[in-house]
Structures are given as structure tokens and as C-alpha cells.
Amino acid sequence: MQIWITDTARDLLNDPPPGGPVTLDEIAACAGITTRQLRAYYSSVEVIVAACADLPAHSTRVGRC
């Protein structure tokens, strides 16, 4: 699940949607999980960004925004 979340966040951060910074709600929606489920792993977008630096990308996954 963490890899799916970080890959989704990485995709959104590399090509952000219009309307401001990426939020936990957007990451959760694009990952196909609830914000509550996402918060079980990560408490903020900044924590996800830090995790992205530590985990390899898995660009072959599909289903994200």
C-alpha cells in the first residue's frame, strides 16, 4: 500500500492538478483509498514527499489519476 501511495503522490507532484498544492485528499482519491486509510501510513504531504525520496518508483502501476 505504501508503494501505491508514494507512486500516486509522485505522479501528482510531477504533474500537479490546477488549483494549488496537492492535498492528502487528492492523493487518497487518486490512489483509490480513503483519506483515513492514507493517514494510517502518512500524516502529511510532506511526509509522503520524504518517503518518495527513500522508495524507488514503480512506474508500471496503473489506475492512478
Side-chain angles (χ1 to χ4, degrees):
M1 177 79 66
Q2 288 177 296
I3 297 295
W4 185 259
I5 293 167
T6 55
D7 283 352
T8 300
R10 193 177 280 120
D11 289 349
L12 286 171
L13 293 167
N14 287 338
D15 188 20
V22 175
T23 65
L24 288 178
D25 291 334
E26 290 171 319
I27 295 169
C30 288
I33 60 174
T34 66
T35 303
R36 185 176 181 179
Q37 289 170 312
L38 185 141
R39 285 184 182 273
Y41 295 97
Y42 300 105
S43 59
S44 69
V45 174
E46 291 77 19
V47 174
I48 296 172
V49 169
C52 286
D54 295 337
L55 296 171
H58 293 87
S59 60
T60 59
R61 297 200 184 256
V62 295
R64 297 183 304 266
C65 292

